[in-house]
Amino acid sequence: QRKSGNQMLIFVHSRAETGKTAKALRDIAMERDELSLFVREGGATQEILREELSTVKNADLKEVLSYGFAIHHAGMARPDRELVEDLFADGHIGVLCCTATLAWGVNLPAHAVIIKGTQIYDPSKGRWAELSPLDVLQMLGRAGRPQYDNEGEGIIMTAHSELQYYLSLTNLQLPVESQMIKTLPDHLNAEVVLGTIQTIQEAVDWLSYTFLYVRMLKNPNLYGISDKAAKEDPTLKFRRMDLAHTAACMLERSHLVRYDRRSGALQTTPLGRIASQYYISHSSMALYSRHLRPNMADIDLLRLFSMSGEFAHITVREEEKLELSKLATRVPIPVKESPSEPSAKINILLQAYISRLKLDGFALVSDMAFIQQSAARIMRAIFEISLRRGWSGLAKLTLAFANMVAYRIWRSQSPLRQFKNVPEIVARKLERKSDIEWARYADLTPSDLGELVGVPKMGRTLHKLVHQFPKLELSAHIQPITRSILRVELGLVPDFEYDIKVHGYVQLFHIVVEDVDGENILHHEMFLLKNTGAEDEHTVVFTVNIMDPLPPSYFIRVISDRWLHSEAVLPVSFNKMILPAKFYPPTELLDLQPLPITVLGEAALTKLYSFAEFNPIQTQTFHHLFKTDKNCLICAPSGSGKSACAEFAIMRMLVNDPQGKCVYVAPKEETSLNTFLDWSKRFGSILRPGQVVQLTGEVAPDLKLIADAKIIVCTAKQWDAISRRWRQRKAVQAVTLFVVDDMHFLGGDAGPTMEVIISRMRFISTQKQQKGDAAQQLRMIGLSASLANAREVGEWMGVASKGLFNFSPKVRPIPLEIYFHSFDQSNFASRLMAMGKPVYNAVMRHSEGKPSIVFVPSRRQAQLTAIDLMTYYQSIEGETFLGKEAIPEEVAKIAGNLREPALQQVTSSGIGFLHDGMVESDWDQIMDLYQKGSLTVLVCPVDICWKVKIVSHLVVIMGTETFDGRERRYVDYPIADLLHMMGMASRQGIDTCGKCVIMCHTPKKEHLKKLLYDPLPIESHIDHYLHDHFNSEIVTKTISCMQDAVDYITWTLLYRRLSKNPNYYNLQGTSNVHLSEHISEMVETVLGDLEASKCCQLTDDGDVSPLNLGMIAAYYYVQYETLELIAASLTAKTKVRGILEILSHASEFGILPIRQGEEKALKILARNLPQKLPESAQFQDPRTKALVLLHCHFSRKALSTDLRTDQKRVLCDSINLIPAIVDVISSNGWLKPALAAMELSQMVVQGLWNKDNVLMQIPHFTKEIVDRCESYEGEDPIESVFDILTLDDDVRNDLLRLPDEKMADVAVFCNNYPNVEVSFEVQDSDDITASDPVQISVKLEREVDDEDEDEEIDETEFGKVAAPLFPKEKREGWWIVVGDTKTNSLLSLKRVTLQRTQKIMLEFMAPEEPGDYNLTLFCMSDSYLGCDQEYSVPISVAVGESDDDDDDDSSGDESD
């Protein structure tokens, strides 16, 4: 070959053999004196080879390279291998001896290929075996260089017996056979974890998609299928069944799946998930779960690691033994086995890798690389297993090992080695100073650190690195909830400099709660620290079980996922903790004969019910509610018909008490609205119109409603606002029945308000009793979910033990089956994705074609889930979810009329979804279709669970957390919401049982189970919200001294809970002294805060009196902090923009939700607004959001659905806050800011900037129409709404060019637009003296069209504002202001509502200096732009009689 100048490859089968063969060839060439055939003397090749020789590391290669021979195998160093490849490619090497790895891995063709021997040693079989045909073909494929040769030569040297085989191999084609059966269990497990396979049947189907199946059909005998079996079973279903069953059994033996042989169901286990995630074979997993022990040390862990199935094929070669025994003496952790054992080799190599030891034999290098690649993965897997088992010690050890492998440092080495740029010498010096603990490094200065390592220059760098090392400061607040559950609020403050280059965009931490011995993990969860939140404090809330007996302490550890030594520990001591008192057992549900509805006695009442008999809970409570007048508290799970129980009490009142008045209070607006709609339909049929009312939240109209009504439905807030001044309001005192629904919300957001109104009604009822007003007894009825401490709630409400019905959560009129399904994914989004298929399976498995509701965390998810369900059903079953009776054409027709495209698509498949921002018509259509049974699946975001009033057979709760942008974390659903959603799974009179599937994050599962199966204890939260309630009571004079305030607290539930669960309220003991001190301190703090914010005044004797700000806060129902802020921020020069900013900073907006990704959306909106936001605006702050939404409202910008919902809330709150701002300004006597605030009110109602053309407030008016009006050349320019009215019809039509129905809207608006005549006169104008009171009488008269005069005009219709952009009905109000524009002083202000005419008297003090003044009278609307009026009021002031009077007056004036 060399004579013709060809290059060749010689393939041999061991690394040592390459060197031997090359040397042998060289020696033969020398003997025969034919070396010149390989390298010509004095040629360029010889020079090049000599030059390159100096860089070669491998001894064998050094010997032969200069002669034109070379060797190549995987055990060589990379530079050597690359050098050989390059020299061969350039033709400088004639003969290359190599192992088969070159044929597979490097593209080096040669003219000739020689395969020297075809037998290789197979360590897994322990004997010599033939080369695989694939290898031979691959080697031969290297012969013949494309583009250079027109032929190649392959020479195989083999035993004579194998000759025929290799001839046929090169001439005939061999079929490729599937090797999948070997690893079938692992692949099956991966599919089970993914959720694509959930029954053995699905596994059989899955096998039919594999290449294995294709080959089994073609060549059954090879796969162990007899011809007979193949004939009988042409699709090989039984064989596939057999394979799937065997694989499932193997997985079950390794505990990777649960396999139910009867139903064929396959369910994954935590171990299975770990195996699939970390790509670990089922045999290894079985090994780990057998041999893992909670207290393993490094030695045992490394031994177990080296026994992994992953390393089964690693053997100890003869030439490695010497080096391994050398290494064994140099590695830190002792190895028990002798170095000739494969497990010892694995162990030694892993330690050598971490220790960064240099290896001589390159044979070991590749093995080491392989072990190191698997090591991190396997350690992580064992870490996950130990977390699942709750073994703290092992978890910490394996996590440390995973990081030691990643960074190649030992735990004993300096943590700073984890940074890239720390020189070895510095690290060594730090390690010698082992007497200084790592924790103390943070306190050293740069110069100290420089001295420590003896390199002063390194001091600053080291200081920087020490402070970049991830470190968290921990603080915890613990509250016992029950005797077995502890709530922990963990505060984490990052205490290091976050640098994206070092830390990436996110740092992961494990939060682990350990028991007192540090052995068991009681709770584990992940915490993500993002680079955006590296400065802020973060809060994580979780619950931990309390052991019995109570241990002395727990330890909370926060360990970094990627950094060694980054660990913070916080001991939580229990020696001061007092556990809450034990709870009383629940009421037994008696086995009574169900009562028929005829027991109500009156035919009119029985007509109210559509069913024939009451359920067990209604039956048991009926006598107490309908036959007595006693107070009553009924606690039963949601969906058990408690509303009917309230109705019994109302019916008794209607029958027995003609003067009776019932107030029904619910914590949520949605609940009260649903109740009102239901009752106004049903009770409305037996009462006069106007006797069933719902309050609006505006005090004046509400008082009118209450006066005539029999049944009043409202929310807690509305009733609080009305009943605050109960002493003056007869209507409030006339209430005889007070029903509170959903009392378990006492522990939630609306809790404090509910607590106040219940305490107040109790107080009113005892006041009535003391007066001996027997006819006017106040009866209280409470409805609630099952409570643990119902006894105390009952006693607080004045319920005797006979009237207390507290049923257990397990007692439901229709039994509920609850299934929990937990998911391990710690990332919220990936967890939801993982739930997709299980949700579909749950619906298919449990719904049995009956209706189902799926609750999802957000609006966007509702749409995604609906589409997912549709696609799964169509792809798997090829069907739709339409109900049995539904006619697909009709549903499709309705679907076509819906506004949302995604909704159209899913509705025709029998799935609906709802959300808060939907068009009303869409909402009604979907609800209608669902109630008719055409749609069998309804997907709802969790925030509307109170708004929808529906029931179903199955409820699926997909995820139990939702994103809270204010805290920038995921928060759990309130437990009340979960109970309410579960309660929807009960169709009374239809089903015999309901079903509920709850999908949650694994760490939350146990806690949820506990909360849902055991009743809830209710704790009071009023202690954090006392300020506003105290303020309102000070204003109404209920509290006039410290003692009153303490008495006020004794009426609350808080007072009863303080002694029962003292630690929850930060109380250290339960004695009377502790209690009274705690309450006095609480009262002093609250009153002190109120005094500091100028809402009330305290005297030294402890007397309290209200101040102006306090009165404004109580009157407008505004939080005291908001008023404090308003008063502090306003100045005499504040303009509209300033007032807008002050308004947006109100505490009321602090509870606006911020959803995921909204910060970005708000930033984009803010960029396109006409006015820039203040520099300090933070987009995760709800107050900035409120400001952006107001700006968008004035600029009429289109918003996303969620933001529209929030915008409605902001507008409704603003319209209540602005009058309060006006009052604060007027009490300072500033004119211009007051007028600016009034303009802002008009802007909020009409959705325009004050600079915009006033015509834009007319409905359907666009920029173009307004431009046409402005350029109109008539006699009078068109400047106001009135000018539109006075135009001729044809001119108007030409200007507006609107269709008739829009024209009608324009007409309605223009006719409603207020045209008000103002007349005024100054009383005794000749006789005004300095500093005396001046009175101006003002008369307002609304001008009404003459044509309407003849008809009877409905007075109540006056003053309704036409404001298409304002979310709720608004009545117009007017501010009448007298001021002096020169001095910017406001002298007098009145706010009036105007029906037809209104007379008012304004009074103010005349100026102190005599002379002529020109004052101005303003008449300002709060709802319309462009209809404000101003008149000049000239007055002349004479000199006062005597000077002494004058002084008195002026001092009086100031106090005024």
Side-chain angles (χ1 to χ4, degrees):
Q1 290 284 340
R2 281 311 288 171
K3 279 180 183 146
S4 2
N6 294 330
Q7 288 176 291
M8 68 204 86
L9 294 171
I10 299 176
F11 284 105
V12 295
H13 305 308
S14 79
R15 294 170 183 183
E17 188 68 34
T18 51
K20 283 185 193 158
T21 308
K23 284 180 206 162
L25 288 171
R26 180 201 59 185
D27 296 345
I28 295 171
M30 268 173 140
E31 271 171 34
R32 298 190 184 172
D33 198 19
E34 289 178 347
L35 279 176
S36 59
L37 282 176
F38 297 96
V39 175
R40 238 185 30 256
E41 277 294 321
T45 299
Q46 196 175 22
E47 273 307 299
I48 289 171
L49 292 178
R50 274 196 192 134
E51 229 172 82
E52 296 292 2
L53 202 59
S54 56
T55 60
V56 174
K57 294 195 182 75
N58 188 307
D60 291 342
L61 184 56
K62 252 199 168 88
E63 271 185 50
V64 296
L65 188 61
S66 53
Y67 300 102
F69 293 92
I71 62 172
H72 185 289
H73 59 75
M76 287 163 55
R78 171 159 285 164
D80 286 1
R81 290 199 311 247
E82 283 168 356
L83 170 71
V84 170
E85 287 159 23
D86 294 343
L87 289 174
F88 188 81
D90 298 342
H92 300 304
I93 294 173
V95 179
L96 176 56
C97 297
C98 56
T99 54
T101 46
L102 179 125
W104 287 104
V106 185
N107 186 13
L108 277 186
H111 177 77
V113 166
I114 302 173
I115 300 177
K116 180 188 170 189
T118 56
Q119 283 197 316
I120 63 174
Y121 182 74
D122 181 356
S124 62
K125 297 196 178 93
R127 59 187 168 79
W128 292 90
E130 286 297 318
L131 269 179
S132 87
L134 289 174
D135 280 334
V136 175
L137 285 175
Q138 183 73 18
M139 292 187 229
L140 290 177
R142 290 274 171 253
R145 299 168 301 164
Q147 298 157 358
Y148 302 106
D149 297 343
N150 47 12
E151 53 160 18
E153 293 175 59
I155 301 164
I156 303 177
M157 303 176 180
T158 178
H160 198 277
S161 55
E162 299 293 328
L163 186 65
Q164 196 53 46
Y165 171 62
Y166 285 109
L167 281 175
S168 68
L169 176 67
T170 44
N171 299 335
L172 306 169
Q173 287 176 335
L174 268 189
V176 178
E177 296 297 351
S178 162
Q179 304 291 316
M180 184 169 172
I181 292 185
K182 294 181 196 159
T183 54
L184 188 62
D186 291 328
H187 294 300
L188 180 68
N189 177 46
E191 298 296 328
V192 172
V193 170
L194 251 180
T196 45
I197 293 181
Q198 290 177 326
T199 61
I200 209 76
Q201 192 48 52
E202 286 179 5
V204 173
D205 291 346
W206 168 72
L207 275 175
S208 72
Y209 288 94
T210 57
F211 178 60
L212 167 69
Y213 176 57
V214 175
R215 286 305 303 158
M216 284 200 307
L217 288 175
K218 286 271 187 294
N219 191 352
N221 296 1
L222 186 67
Y223 293 92
I225 305 167
S226 64
D227 293 339
K228 185 174 166 231
K231 268 206 192 73
E232 286 171 7
D233 181 16
T235 60
L236 298 181
K237 186 159 184 196
F238 292 111
R239 177 65 177 153
R240 282 182 288 150
M241 192 79 190
D242 199 22
L243 285 172
H245 173 75
T246 315
C249 291
M250 289 169 80
L251 288 175
E252 189 186 31
R253 230 172 315 165
S254 317
H255 305 295
L256 298 194
V257 297
R258 291 192 201 90
Y259 176 33
D260 175 9
R261 286 174 175 66
R262 204 181 71 241
S263 65
L266 286 167
Q267 254 185 317
T268 177
T269 64
L271 280 180
R273 289 196 199 99
I274 295 169
S276 158
Q277 186 186 349
Y278 293 103
Y279 208 77
I280 289 176
S281 66
H282 65 104
S283 49
S284 298
M285 289 304 283
L287 177 92
Y288 302 147
S289 51
R290 262 206 313 282
H291 292 293
L292 280 177
R293 295 284 170 274
N295 43 11
M296 284 175 100
D298 309 7
I299 302 181
D300 312 322
L301 180 64
L302 285 175
R303 273 185 71 194
L304 179 63
F305 170 80
S306 58
M307 286 157 65
S308 298
E310 275 50 14
F311 308 126
H313 63 276
I314 287 187
T315 53
V316 181
R317 304 184 182 86
E318 204 46 53
E319 65 267 27
E320 297 166 352
K321 289 188 176 165
L322 180 65
E323 191 179 351
L324 282 173
S325 42
K326 269 195 215 147
L327 285 173
T329 58
R330 293 181 60 196
V331 295
I333 298 173
V335 179
K336 285 189 181 166
E337 296 83 5
S338 86
S340 57
E341 294 272 327
S343 67
K345 170 176 169 181
I346 294 160
N347 191 334
I348 292 167
L349 284 180
L350 178 65
Q351 296 192 52
Y353 173 77
I354 297 177
S355 308
R356 306 188 183 199
L357 298 179
K358 293 273 179 292
L359 303 183
D360 303 340
F362 287 111
L364 286 173
V365 172
S366 60
D367 283 343
M368 176 153 119
F370 176 75
I371 292 169
Q372 159 260 324
Q373 282 162 358
S374 305
R377 181 167 64 91
I378 291 175
M379 285 298 180
R380 288 260 163 201
I382 302 179
F383 167 65
E384 296 275 344
I385 297 173
S386 41
L387 276 183
R388 295 277 173 285
R389 299 199 172 173
W391 294 339
S392 174
L394 185 60
K396 285 183 291 200
L397 183 65
T398 44
L399 183 61
F401 258 106
N403 285 327
M404 288 194 274
V405 175
Y407 286 108
R408 301 184 66 174
I409 63 171
W410 290 99
R411 267 184 304 188
S412 52
Q413 290 175 300
S414 167
L416 289 178
R417 282 180 184 263
Q418 296 173 71
F419 291 102
K420 302 264 185 312
N421 49 356
V422 174
E424 178 70 17
I425 175 164
V426 174
R428 287 257 165 96
K429 281 192 169 152
L430 286 171
E431 279 149 17
R432 287 199 200 104
K433 303 268 196 286
S434 57
D435 52 336
I436 299 183
E437 280 187 16
W438 170 239
R440 285 180 49 203
Y441 276 69
D443 309 332
L444 299 175
T445 61
S447 53
D448 294 344
L449 283 164
E451 248 169 70
L452 190 67
V453 292
V455 190
K457 278 198 301 227
M458 278 297 290
R460 310 219 11 209
T461 319
L462 285 176
H463 185 260
K464 183 175 154 207
L465 294 181
V466 168
H467 285 280
Q468 277 183 348
F469 193 80
K471 182 169 158 228
L472 296 177
E473 294 285 328
L474 306 184
S475 58
H477 179 58
I478 57 166
Q479 291 178 317
I481 294 192
T482 65
R483 290 183 77 82
S484 58
I485 302 182
L486 186 68
R487 178 175 183 274
V488 182
E489 199 170 294
L490 183 66
L492 306 120
V493 183
D495 185 18
F496 63 100
E497 286 159 28
Y498 202 106
D499 179 353
I500 292 182
K501 290 192 196 75
V502 180
H503 304 104
Y505 288 102
V506 65
Q507 281 285 312
L508 248 133
F509 292 91
H510 297 272
I511 300 176
V512 175
V513 183
E514 303 173 350
D515 62 7
V516 65
D517 312 324
E519 280 179 6
N520 296 321
I521 297 177
L522 304 169
H523 177 82
H524 165 258
E525 69 176 83
M526 306 289 283
F527 166 66
L528 292 170
L529 177 67
K530 297 200 171 99
N531 61 325
T532 46
E535 306 288 313
D536 323 334
E537 178 173 357
H538 302 265
T539 327
V540 178
V541 179
F542 52 87
T543 54
V544 185
N545 291 349
I546 302 175
M547 304 285 179
D548 200 29
L550 188 66
S553 62
Y554 280 168
F555 291 98
I556 300 176
R557 273 177 207 277
V558 180
I559 310 170
S560 166
D561 186 53
R562 296 276 168 209
W563 293 76
L564 278 169
H565 298 283
S566 164
E567 178 176 336
V569 185
L570 181 71
V572 178
S573 162
F574 293 155
N575 47 13
K576 289 252 179 79
M577 192 163 82
I578 308 166
L579 287 181
K582 283 207 168 72
F583 299 126
Y584 292 99
T587 313
E588 289 295 319
L589 185 66
L590 307 175
D591 190 10
L592 303 170
Q593 181 72 35
L595 290 172
I597 54 174
T598 47
V599 290
L600 294 167
E602 306 252 348
L605 298 181
T606 47
K607 278 200 198 115
L608 300 182
Y609 293 103
S610 54
F611 46 84
E613 51 184 34
F614 294 121
N615 72 27
I617 289 178
Q618 292 157 351
T619 302
Q620 191 166 335
T621 53
F622 179 80
H623 174 82
H624 202 90
L625 288 162
F626 194 71
K627 302 287 192 210
T628 71
D629 275 325
K630 295 197 175 70
N631 292 355
C632 186
L633 173 63
I634 301 165
C635 310
S638 127
S640 45
K642 294 191 292 287
S643 337
C645 300
E647 289 165 13
F648 297 157
I650 296 177
M651 291 176 196
R652 173 171 177 89
M653 175 198 86
L654 294 175
V655 173
N656 288 6
D657 183 0
Q659 299 297 303
K661 235 189 227 334
C662 161
V663 174
Y664 165 93
V665 175
K668 292 211 168 263
E669 279 177 36
E670 296 89 346
T671 328
S672 80
L673 176 64
N674 282 333
T675 307
F676 171 68
L677 294 173
D678 178 34
W679 283 357
S680 58
K681 200 161 72 215
R682 289 172 42 223
F683 283 123
S685 64
I686 56 172
L687 293 170
R688 289 202 308 282
Q691 288 196 323
V692 182
V693 298
Q694 185 185 17
L695 300 188
T696 60
E698 290 185 27
V699 175
D702 281 353
L703 283 171
K704 282 197 189 120
L705 288 174
I706 295 179
D708 311 330
K710 279 242 175 265
I711 300 176
I712 300 144
V713 179
C714 59
T715 65
K717 280 223 161 80
Q718 291 165 347
W719 188 248
D720 184 20
I722 288 281
S723 64
R724 278 183 171 184
R725 315 180 61 169
W726 61 274
R727 290 173 200 275
Q728 291 91 358
R729 294 179 177 160
K730 289 282 179 283
V732 177
Q733 294 176 24
V735 173
T736 55
L737 173 64
F738 188 65
V739 180
V740 191
D741 202 350
D742 289 329
M743 283 191 51
H744 47 276
F745 270 90
L746 280 165
D749 295 342
T753 318
M754 291 177 74
E755 195 170 330
V756 164
I757 56 176
I758 296 173
S759 308
R760 186 178 295 143
M761 296 315 277
R762 280 285 296 138
F763 184 66
I764 295 174
S765 80
T766 47
Q767 294 284 325
K768 281 185 177 180
Q769 275 169 354
Q770 284 166 4
K771 284 189 186 147
D773 196 351
Q776 284 274 315
Q777 277 301 304
L778 174 61
R779 178 183 193 190
M780 300 187 76
I781 306 286
L783 308 173
S784 159
S786 311
L787 301 180
N789 51 350
R791 177 75 60 102
E792 279 132 53
V793 178
E795 286 168 356
W796 163 62
M797 286 178 67
V799 174
S801 57
K802 280 225 178 79
L804 176 66
F805 299 94
N806 179 28
F807 299 105
S808 143
K810 301 181 185 68
V811 173
R812 293 170 182 269
I814 292 172
L816 181 66
E817 296 173 18
I818 305 175
Y819 301 89
F820 276 95
H821 194 144
S822 60
F823 292 81
D824 286 339
Q825 289 80 354
S826 55
N827 178 304
F828 179 77
S830 46
R831 189 159 64 239
L832 279 180
M833 284 171 71
M835 287 174 186
K837 182 85 189 285
V839 165
Y840 164 76
N841 289 320
V843 171
M844 294 309 292
R845 193 162 134 215
H846 298 300
S847 73
E848 302 147 15
K850 298 175 187 165
S852 332
I853 306 175
V854 181
F855 284 106
V856 295
S858 64
R859 181 184 65 96
R860 193 168 142 258
Q861 190 58 44
Q863 188 172 326
L864 294 175
T865 303
I867 293 171
D868 278 356
L869 284 171
M870 174 180 78
T871 7
Y872 279 131
Y873 205 14
Q874 283 175 353
S875 62
I876 296 172
E877 307 284 337
E879 297 189 23
T880 61
F881 281 107
L882 288 170
K884 296 189 186 67
E885 283 84 37
I887 303 160
E889 293 72 40
E890 275 186 20
V891 178
K893 191 173 146 209
I894 295 175
N897 299 332
L898 298 169
R899 298 278 276 283
E900 287 190 44
L903 196 54
Q904 295 181 358
Q905 192 187 358
V906 294
T907 305
S908 46
S909 308
I911 305 171
F913 65 83
L914 298 170
H915 57 78
D916 228 355
M918 263 168 96
V919 192
E920 201 127 311
S921 57
D922 280 12
W923 175 287
D924 297 341
Q925 296 270 16
I926 296 288
M927 288 294 277
D928 186 44
L929 284 172
Y930 175 78
Q931 270 152 348
K932 275 203 282 211
S934 304
L935 305 181
T936 56
V937 179
L938 196 55
V939 188
C940 308
V942 68
D943 49 7
I944 63 166
C945 69
W946 295 92
K947 191 170 163 184
V948 290
K949 199 169 180 177
I950 43 177
V951 287
S952 69
H953 172 68
L954 165 73
V955 169
V956 182
I957 300 174
M958 179 178 175
T960 57
E961 313 169 284
T962 174
F963 183 73
D964 178 0
R966 298 193 302 262
E967 305 202 11
R968 289 186 159 186
R969 64 189 179 93
Y970 291 95
V971 293
D972 293 333
Y973 293 167
I975 202 76
D977 289 11
L978 278 173
L979 292 169
H980 183 69
M981 292 187 270
M982 287 163 58
M984 290 187 182
S986 75
R987 301 190 297 163
Q988 297 199 10
I990 307 175
D991 289 339
T992 49
C993 83
K995 297 191 173 175
C996 174
V997 178
I998 298 176
M999 305 197 168
C1000 63
H1001 190 191
T1002 312
K1004 305 253 189 283
K1005 182 170 156 183
E1006 289 311 308
H1007 168 62
L1008 279 172
K1009 274 188 173 166
K1010 229 186 177 92
L1011 282 179
L1012 298 178
Y1013 292 151
D1014 297 340
L1016 289 166
I1018 287 291
E1019 298 295 353
S1020 164
H1021 293 257
I1022 195 170
D1023 44 343
H1024 304 299
Y1025 298 91
L1026 274 173
H1027 297 80
D1028 292 315
H1029 298 301
F1030 265 20
N1031 179 46
S1032 75
E1033 301 298 343
I1034 292 170
V1035 171
T1036 56
K1037 308 274 198 305
T1038 309
I1039 296 180
S1040 56
C1041 63
M1042 287 283 203
Q1043 189 52 46
D1044 289 348
V1046 174
D1047 294 348
Y1048 179 79
I1049 286 183
T1050 59
W1051 282 95
T1052 59
L1053 175 65
L1054 169 71
Y1055 180 68
R1056 289 169 190 271
R1057 286 301 297 161
L1058 278 173
S1059 57
K1060 294 285 193 289
N1061 189 356
N1063 280 148
Y1064 190 87
Y1065 301 98
N1066 297 334
L1067 214 77
Q1068 297 313 318
T1070 51
S1071 68
N1072 285 347
V1073 180
H1074 275 117
L1075 271 178
S1076 57
E1077 273 181 6
H1078 183 79
I1079 293 177
S1080 310
E1081 190 182 326
M1082 194 156 66
V1083 168
E1084 276 166 31
T1085 319
V1086 172
L1087 293 177
D1089 289 348
L1090 286 174
E1091 186 178 35
S1093 61
K1094 305 206 174 59
C1095 288
C1096 72
Q1097 197 172 8
L1098 280 171
T1099 62
D1100 297 342
D1101 314 339
D1103 289 345
V1104 191
S1105 54
L1107 293 174
N1108 187 28
L1109 285 182
M1111 292 183 192
I1112 297 176
Y1115 182 78
Y1116 290 108
Y1117 204 74
V1118 176
Q1119 295 179 20
Y1120 87 102
E1121 292 165 323
T1122 304
L1123 272 164
E1124 187 180 0
L1125 174 100
I1126 293 172
S1129 323
L1130 283 168
T1131 65
K1133 295 197 179 71
T1134 309
K1135 306 231 176 10
V1136 171
R1137 187 172 168 182
I1139 292 178
L1140 186 54
E1141 264 171 51
I1142 295 171
L1143 168 67
S1144 69
H1145 271 76
S1147 315
E1148 274 71 0
F1149 298 136
I1151 56 170
L1152 274 180
I1154 291 188
R1155 298 174 193 80
Q1156 205 150 8
E1158 267 190 2
E1159 291 176 39
K1160 227 198 228 134
L1162 291 170
K1163 269 191 191 132
I1164 294 170
L1165 282 171
R1167 263 190 232 129
N1168 305 329
L1169 291 174
Q1171 292 200 10
K1172 286 277 162 286
L1173 293 187
E1175 292 295 303
S1176 59
Q1178 292 275 325
F1179 284 93
Q1180 75 274 17
D1181 182 2
R1183 300 186 175 103
T1184 305
K1185 175 170 174 176
L1187 186 57
V1188 173
L1189 292 177
L1190 283 167
H1191 273 269
C1192 291
H1193 175 60
F1194 304 145
S1195 307
R1196 302 197 166 181
K1197 281 245 188 307
L1199 292 175
S1200 69
T1201 320
D1202 289 333
L1203 288 174
R1204 260 207 319 271
T1205 317
D1206 296 332
Q1207 193 184 42
K1208 281 183 190 163
R1209 281 177 60 178
V1210 173
L1211 295 175
C1212 295
D1213 282 348
S1214 305
I1215 211 65
N1216 187 29
L1217 287 164
I1218 295 173
I1221 298 181
V1222 173
D1223 283 10
V1224 176
I1225 299 173
S1226 76
S1227 46
N1228 283 318
W1230 295 322
L1231 181 62
K1232 284 183 188 134
L1235 297 177
M1238 294 169 194
E1239 273 185 23
L1240 180 60
S1241 176
Q1242 302 167 3
M1243 287 159 53
V1244 168
V1245 176
Q1246 292 299 343
L1248 282 175
W1249 287 102
N1250 50 351
K1251 314 259 188 322
D1252 291 334
N1253 190 317
V1254 294
L1255 297 176
M1256 284 294 287
Q1257 53 190 334
I1258 304 177
H1260 313 301
F1261 264 50
T1262 56
K1263 196 90 191 70
E1264 292 74 49
I1265 297 182
V1266 173
D1267 291 343
R1268 284 204 292 272
C1269 292
E1270 282 178 341
S1271 54
Y1272 170 65
E1273 307 253 319
E1275 299 143 29
D1276 301 322
I1278 304 178
E1279 283 168 354
S1280 74
V1281 180
F1282 301 121
D1283 299 339
I1284 296 276
L1285 278 173
T1286 53
L1287 289 172
D1288 292 340
D1289 285 356
D1290 45 351
V1291 179
R1292 188 185 308 133
N1293 292 343
D1294 177 51
L1295 282 173
L1296 307 189
R1297 299 177 198 162
L1298 288 171
D1300 286 353
E1301 66 271 16
K1302 290 190 174 175
M1303 263 318 216
D1305 294 344
V1306 173
V1308 168
F1309 179 89
C1310 294
N1311 288 322
N1312 267 353
Y1313 192 73
N1315 184 1
V1316 178
E1317 262 312 301
V1318 180
S1319 53
F1320 65 92
E1321 89 174 291
V1322 183
Q1323 308 284 320
D1324 309 328
S1325 50
D1326 326 336
D1327 182 19
I1328 298 174
T1329 51
S1331 302
D1332 271 2
V1334 182
Q1335 290 184 330
I1336 301 184
S1337 72
V1338 181
K1339 182 178 180 203
L1340 303 178
E1341 186 164 1
R1342 184 190 296 274
E1343 295 207 352
V1344 182
D1345 277 359
D1346 305 336
E1347 303 137 42
D1348 304 353
E1349 286 292 340
D1350 325 330
E1351 305 159 26
E1352 265 304 305
I1353 294 175
D1354 181 5
E1355 292 272 329
T1356 56
E1357 284 305 305
F1358 282 142
K1360 265 197 185 160
V1361 177
L1365 292 178
F1366 192 70
K1368 60 179 200 184
E1369 185 181 290
K1370 167 97 182 69
R1371 296 265 167 182
E1372 58 181 71
W1374 295 85
W1375 280 289
I1376 312 299
V1377 182
V1378 175
D1380 187 341
T1381 44
K1382 278 208 200 79
T1383 58
N1384 184 19
S1385 58
L1386 181 147
L1387 301 171
S1388 176
L1389 172 138
K1390 273 261 168 61
R1391 179 154 191 212
V1392 297
T1393 53
L1394 171 67
Q1395 300 253 301
R1396 195 69 184 272
T1397 57
Q1398 179 79 309
K1399 270 192 169 163
I1400 50 167
M1401 200 58 119
L1402 292 173
E1403 187 170 299
F1404 57 93
M1405 294 317 248
E1408 294 174 13
E1409 297 296 320
D1412 288 347
Y1413 289 88
N1414 195 2
L1415 306 180
T1416 316
L1417 172 74
F1418 296 90
C1419 172
M1420 304 285 289
S1421 166
D1422 69 351
S1423 317
Y1424 290 102
L1425 293 154
C1427 62
D1428 305 333
Q1429 307 178 29
E1430 51 181 280
Y1431 299 92
S1432 81
V1433 183
I1435 58 169
S1436 45
V1437 181
V1439 187
E1441 269 85 65
S1442 73
D1443 278 24
D1444 348 0
D1445 283 6
D1446 189 49
D1447 286 356
D1448 291 286
D1449 268 327
S1450 65
S1451 63
D1453 182 28
E1454 265 138 49
S1455 68
D1456 196 51

